[in-house]
Amino acid sequence: MRLPLDPKIVEETIFDALIAAREKYGDKEILEDQDRKPLTYTGLIRAAFVLGRKIAAMTQTSERVGILLPSSMGTVVTFYGLHAHGRVPVMINFTAGERNIKAALAAAGVKKVLTAKRFIQQAKLEELIEQIEGVAEIVWLDDVRKTIGLQDKLYGLMAGMMPKRFRVPLKPSDPGVVLFTSGSFGAPKGVVLSQWNLVSNCRQVAQHIDLDPDWVMFNPLPTFHCFGLTGGVLLPLLQGLKAFQYPSPLHAKQITELLPEVKASILFATDTFLNQYARVAGPDDFDTLKFVVAGAERVRDETHHLFNTRFHGLKLLEGYGASEAAPVVAVNHPDRNRPGSVGQIMPGMEWKLEPVPGIPDGGRLYLRGPNVMEGYLSPDDPTSIEPLEGGWHDTGDIVDLDEDGYITILGRVKRFAKIGGEMVSLTAVEGLASAVWPEARHAVVAIADARKGEKLVLVTDRKDADVARLAEWARSHGAPELAVPKKIMRVAEVPVLGTGKTDYVAIQQMAELEKAA
């Protein structure tokens, strides 16, 4: 099936889409961060040309260049600077650990990594930089900026006036960015998104939800996460909204205090962070928000309840995406919000569901569309891309799709256990634990069991969690006994990735180690 994309939308590159946005919305303030020195469209374009030319002098056309920076104006300028001069940004997840980062650099063929001394010092990443230096050259943007002179500024002035004459011409099908999947279920994969993949996803969202150019988008998510890059940077810039960049989603109190100060209209984040913000926010901190968008992980009932009761019914819209789809696949609409679903599928996308043996409801979701990647980086050859068969991306998600195009996530293929011959959704079991202890964080994994094939293990930060309480709730609510974990591991903190998503790799290892002990 397919929902049509507006035929007036034309294919364009990331930089040309920025130039077109300036023409459409005027030379307004469009980008800001905590330093509170906003840039206009022209200011951003000039800065991108000036910095980009400096980076171009030390790199080759089409070279993949690493960006290891938090969400900030500097990151956006660097990203567009690479595009202006025909280089390909590779967004590095600085929370992924030495092994994954080195693997990512090797997989993408990155020879140079752009970063900043202030960030490395504040984030205490000096040791990580030492480890990276063995496989790639570190380029300090602080030092690069010191070399910018009068001639560079005159160049920027001219380029800002006639950007299409100065920028390296690229095609919409050319690479726009290399990102790496979060690795929550294994080693990160290199995702190559084209220029048009990214731009089309912004156009899809804008066709689905009418965005007012007078609004302010507040982005606390890292740009190494596709949600942070497309939703928090490209979407607002290309649709005329000011994009406010904040360097860390962990600063709950600072973020909630900043929201009314910068007159934020839309907040993007994950359930983990939104739950924290809702707990520390004052009654007026969310007053300027039109709605909040949650993605990357399931939104807990408790988070919905917090927003409904504490913030005058502020709409929390759940969405669904994948790095491979640039990333927005579906999102609820402010006027058509169906809590429990992840909203309607984006216009221009095709989908199909394939049945999964042992799982009676829904099917395995496959996607194809203008926002779906060409393929993964080959792990053996950085210059090679492994294309998708027929252009279809296998999401690995089991979903239900109704006649209105609303998607309900039932679980991941990898997130089902086979217990006594029956398929049990680990996501549903987590929902059971959340119903019993809504304020706590839970994760469920399966380990081998000699008697029933697999056994469920609940990892939770609830100190008094016990099997009897879970079994009692399951009985009184008609949940099957198979869905009750027979083992509980109580931890001080449930491991999460830098994006806020549950780190199932680490949790699986914890459960296996506990079993072996």
Side-chain angles (χ1 to χ4, degrees):
M1 293 185 69
R2 185 179 200 156
L3 297 167
L5 188 62
D6 187 338
K8 295 192 295 291
I9 293 172
V10 295
E11 290 192 26
E12 56 194 336
T13 64
I14 291 167
F15 206 87
D16 283 357
L18 181 69
I19 297 167
R22 180 177 70 171
E23 291 169 2
K24 181 174 182 178
Y25 300 106
D27 194 21
K28 57 186 282 190
E29 286 185 2
I30 199 68
L31 184 63
E32 192 173 3
D33 63 15
Q34 63 182 139
D35 288 342
R36 309 307 298 276
K37 295 174 183 173
L39 282 174
T40 62
Y41 274 117
T42 298
L44 169 57
I45 290 168
R46 282 178 187 161
F49 271 110
V50 172
L51 181 63
R53 187 165 75 152
K54 291 288 185 183
I55 298 164
M58 56 182 95
T59 56
Q60 305 294 316
T61 304
S62 302
E63 183 175 331
R64 293 177 186 154
V65 183
I67 297 179
L68 194 150
L69 291 167
S71 294
S72 64
M73 288 205 313
T75 305
V76 180
V77 168
T78 304
F79 179 85
Y80 273 103
L82 292 175
H83 277 282
H85 292 84
R87 275 63 178 168
V88 182
V90 178
M91 312 309 284
I92 305 299
N93 179 351
F94 46 82
T95 70
E98 178 192 355
R99 184 178 63 83
N100 282 342
I101 291 173
K102 282 183 174 178
L105 295 174
V110 170
K111 300 185 188 116
K112 287 184 171 64
V113 173
L114 310 175
T115 189
K117 290 173 185 172
R118 183 171 79 150
F119 165 59
I120 296 302
Q121 288 162 2
Q122 288 178 346
K124 297 180 172 55
L125 293 174
E126 292 89 350
E127 190 178 329
L128 176 64
I129 291 299
E130 285 176 19
Q131 293 160 345
I132 292 174
E133 281 179 318
V135 294
E137 181 189 342
I138 301 297
V139 176
W140 298 104
L141 293 175
D142 329 54
D143 295 339
V144 173
R145 286 194 178 94
K146 287 175 188 171
T147 68
I148 294 171
L150 180 61
Q151 196 174 9
D152 299 305
K153 290 175 183 175
L154 288 172
Y155 164 78
L157 200 64
M158 295 296 291
M161 291 164 64
M162 300 176 289
K164 286 196 176 180
R165 281 199 188 177
F166 283 78
R167 59 102 171 93
V168 171
L170 297 169
K171 300 190 297 294
S173 58
D174 287 335
V177 75
V178 178
L179 295 160
F180 287 84
T181 59
S182 63
S184 51
F185 293 100
K189 291 179 178 177
V191 173
V192 184
L193 294 170
S194 73
Q195 305 266 332
W196 179 232
N197 286 156
L198 293 162
V199 175
S200 69
N201 201 221
C202 297
R203 304 305 189 215
Q204 289 169 311
V205 175
Q207 184 179 329
H208 181 60
I209 298 177
D210 193 21
L211 300 170
D212 189 329
D214 290 332
W215 289 352
V216 176
M217 186 86 78
F218 192 99
N219 177 41
L221 295 177
T223 48
F224 61 68
H225 190 249
C226 205
F227 189 20
L229 178 64
T230 302
V233 176
L234 301 179
L235 175 63
L237 293 182
L238 301 190
Q239 297 302 137
L241 288 72
K242 181 190 274 190
F244 192 98
Q245 306 299 307
Y246 191 81
S248 172
L250 299 170
H251 304 162
K253 195 63 186 160
Q254 294 95 315
I255 287 169
T256 52
E257 287 172 356
L258 257 180
L259 289 172
E261 198 179 313
V262 304
K263 298 181 173 58
S265 311
I266 305 172
L267 170 65
F268 274 158
T270 65
D271 173 75
T272 299
F273 299 128
L274 289 173
N275 194 285
Q276 293 168 7
Y277 304 162
R279 288 172 180 277
V280 302
D284 306 326
D285 285 347
F286 288 173
D287 276 4
T288 64
L289 292 174
K290 309 293 181 188
F291 52 85
V292 176
V293 182
E297 61 176 344
R298 186 181 70 85
V299 177
R300 288 170 285 168
D301 291 341
E302 189 219 0
T303 308
H304 277 298
H305 180 71
L306 276 170
F307 274 81
N308 288 333
T309 55
R310 295 196 62 195
F311 306 111
H312 319 295
L314 173 64
K315 284 174 182 168
L316 173 54
L317 309 179
E318 189 167 357
Y320 162 66
S323 300
E324 296 87 347
V328 186
V329 172
V331 67
N332 271 290
H333 189 283
D335 300 329
R336 303 187 297 276
N337 187 23
R338 289 192 191 173
S341 82
V342 291
Q344 291 167 299
I345 203 155
M346 290 294 97
M349 296 198 75
E350 296 176 85
W351 70 87
K352 61 182 180 180
L353 297 183
E354 292 199 350
V356 178
I359 301 173
D361 300 318
R364 187 172 185 143
L365 177 65
Y366 288 78
L367 297 168
R368 186 164 67 179
N371 55 317
V372 174
M373 67 171 185
E374 184 184 336
Y376 293 111
L377 283 175
S378 166
D380 306 317
D381 179 6
T383 63
S384 177
I385 293 173
E386 298 177 337
L388 300 176
E389 194 174 329
W392 288 101
H393 168 58
D394 175 8
T395 66
D397 289 317
I398 309 297
V399 312
D400 194 23
L401 246 158
D402 71 13
E403 57 190 20
D404 297 321
Y406 281 87
I407 297 176
T408 303
I409 308 290
L410 303 178
R412 285 190 65 78
V413 174
K414 293 177 182 175
R415 299 280 296 140
F416 279 81
K418 198 164 190 178
I419 301 172
E422 295 286 327
M423 298 297 281
V424 177
S425 166
L426 304 187
T427 305
V429 179
E430 288 172 351
L432 188 155
S434 292
V436 178
W437 302 292
E439 74 295 339
R441 189 176 182 102
H442 315 284
V444 176
V445 293
I447 59 174
D449 179 70
R451 205 161 54 87
K452 291 198 170 183
E454 288 187 291
K455 178 168 71 174
L456 302 180
V457 179
L458 169 65
V459 177
T460 177
D461 58 12
R462 174 80 183 199
K463 300 292 182 288
D464 60 349
D466 67 279
V467 174
R469 179 77 186 90
L470 282 174
E472 178 192 333
W473 191 95
R475 277 194 302 274
S476 61
H477 289 80
E481 189 188 342
L482 283 176
V484 179
K486 299 299 185 282
K487 180 170 179 54
I488 295 179
M489 288 178 64
R490 299 166 197 84
V491 294
E493 220 170 273
V494 176
V496 294
L497 298 161
T499 55
K501 292 168 77 172
T502 304
D503 187 349
Y504 286 107
V505 173
I507 291 163
Q508 188 74 43
Q509 289 169 348
M510 286 166 57
E512 301 284 0
L513 283 170
E514 175 92 355
K515 180 191 174 190

